[in-house]
Amino acid sequence: MDPDEGLTAVDNIVTQFSTYEDFLDSQITTVDLYYLEDESLARQLVELGYRGTGEVVKREDFEARKAAIEIAMLAERTQKKTLTSAGKDLQDNFLKALALREEDNRNGKVSMIKTKARTWSTMPQIKLTVIFIRDRNSHGQEVSGYIDYAHRLKIEDFEVYFSGKRRLLPKPTDMSFYNWDSHIAVCNSTPNYQVIADNPEGLLFKYKRDRKILNVDPKTLPGDNSTRTPIQTELYIQAVIFDHISRRKT
């Protein structure tokens, strides 16, 4: 059987039955009980693959997959509750783009993998976003900078941005900040990215998890597993979104 088909078959079984014993009982016929006269023995024979009317699934596979699915479902419910963009009537392309990426940057994605031992576990697949914004602040000064979206989500309430009460702007505490009027330039590494400011070819960011380089120069490719997306928006002079996916195992 194809590994993906096997995984799907186990998923179907796990979601159908509450316990492994319930699954075993579903494989036992009245004829089995008549001749064996022992429910425990009948269950053992089904578990070993000697009796039964359907798929053979080991106890450890059933319980591991059951736990993984329950964890994923709980994480999904938690994520939906914490998304500040949920239920908002977003009109501008920039806010729509942030909303699409909020869940990934707030919680990360979890993918299920099957090991050589035929058991299932979780491998994080993290998607992070860097936001570039250029616009004027409340004093009329032109500012620009790069924002670690995942980090900002952890330290700031984005309800005010998705509701339209305030505009998201770069700060001196972000990865990169430049005030074009005062010529103040600041760079800060974050929990996710290391800033490489002394590169002769321009500003670079190194993702700390997989050590991949993000190149924000529009004249070159952004780097491995990274994309650059200019956003047409009425909120800012210029907005660009960089997405990076890390598949490194932990």
Side-chain angles (χ1 to χ4, degrees):
M1 179 183 295
D2 183 88
D4 291 336
E5 293 179 359
L7 182 60
T8 302
V10 175
D11 281 352
N12 293 335
I13 291 170
V14 167
T15 54
Q16 184 178 356
F17 299 101
S18 300
T19 65
Y20 186 65
E21 284 68 27
D22 290 341
F23 163 68
L24 294 178
D25 290 343
S26 71
Q27 303 293 296
I28 301 172
T29 66
T30 54
V31 176
D32 292 332
L33 292 175
Y34 176 79
Y35 284 105
L36 294 172
E37 297 182 348
D38 188 328
E39 185 178 52
S40 297
L41 177 58
R43 285 178 175 175
Q44 291 177 21
L45 291 176
V46 172
E47 187 169 355
L48 292 172
Y50 294 116
R51 304 291 297 175
T53 60
E55 183 77 17
V56 176
V57 178
K58 294 182 179 180
R59 181 182 294 273
E60 56 267 28
D61 288 349
F62 181 96
E63 293 178 348
R65 192 62 180 149
K66 187 79 169 179
I69 290 177
E70 289 176 352
I71 290 172
M73 292 176 64
L74 177 61
E76 184 178 358
R77 289 195 296 268
T78 302
Q79 290 165 4
K80 289 181 179 179
K81 291 180 180 179
T82 58
L83 296 182
T84 52
S85 61
K88 299 293 191 302
D89 183 18
L90 306 176
Q91 300 297 323
D92 189 81
N93 292 332
F94 177 77
L95 294 179
K96 290 179 181 179
L98 291 192
L100 287 174
R101 293 162 171 82
E102 183 186 3
E103 181 178 341
D104 291 342
N105 282 269
R106 188 180 293 278
N107 305 293
K109 285 293 186 181
V110 176
S111 301
M112 302 299 175
I113 60 172
K114 187 177 181 182
T115 67
K116 293 180 179 179
R118 293 182 59 83
T119 58
W120 285 266
S121 60
T122 59
M123 180 177 68
Q125 175 177 289
I126 307 301
K127 179 178 180 180
L128 292 185
T129 299
V130 172
I131 306 166
F132 172 77
I133 291 176
R134 182 168 66 91
D135 205 77
R136 296 191 178 278
N137 60 20
S138 59
H139 302 290
Q141 300 170 323
E142 185 173 334
V143 297
S144 63
Y146 293 89
I147 299 170
D148 181 343
Y149 187 24
H151 181 52
R152 274 274 206 122
L153 282 169
K154 291 184 182 300
I155 64 174
E156 195 171 357
D157 184 5
F158 266 62
E159 173 73 25
V160 292
Y161 302 127
F162 285 118
S163 63
K165 296 178 181 178
R166 288 171 55 189
R167 288 188 311 135
L168 177 66
L169 286 173
K171 300 178 179 180
T173 53
D174 281 314
M175 297 169 65
S176 169
F177 173 85
Y178 184 67
N179 187 310
W180 293 80
D181 290 53
S182 63
H183 303 290
I184 295 176
V186 183
C187 290
N188 305 282
S189 293
T190 70
N192 300 308
Y193 281 95
Q194 175 187 345
V195 178
I196 304 175
D198 56 355
N199 179 58
E201 298 180 0
L203 190 64
L204 300 174
F205 302 115
K206 179 188 288 185
Y207 184 36
K208 293 181 179 179
R209 182 181 178 83
D210 60 10
R211 305 183 67 81
K212 298 290 186 180
I213 297 295
L214 173 63
N215 192 329
V216 295
D217 185 347
K219 298 179 181 179
T220 187
L221 295 176
D224 293 342
N225 302 329
S226 296
T227 58
R228 181 183 189 274
T229 307
I231 305 297
Q232 296 295 324
T233 172
E234 297 181 358
L235 298 178
Y236 305 98
I237 296 174
Q238 184 182 7
V240 181
I241 287 181
F242 298 87
D243 292 313
H244 176 77
I245 294 178
S246 171
R247 298 180 176 89
R248 181 180 178 184
K249 296 181 180 179
T250 55

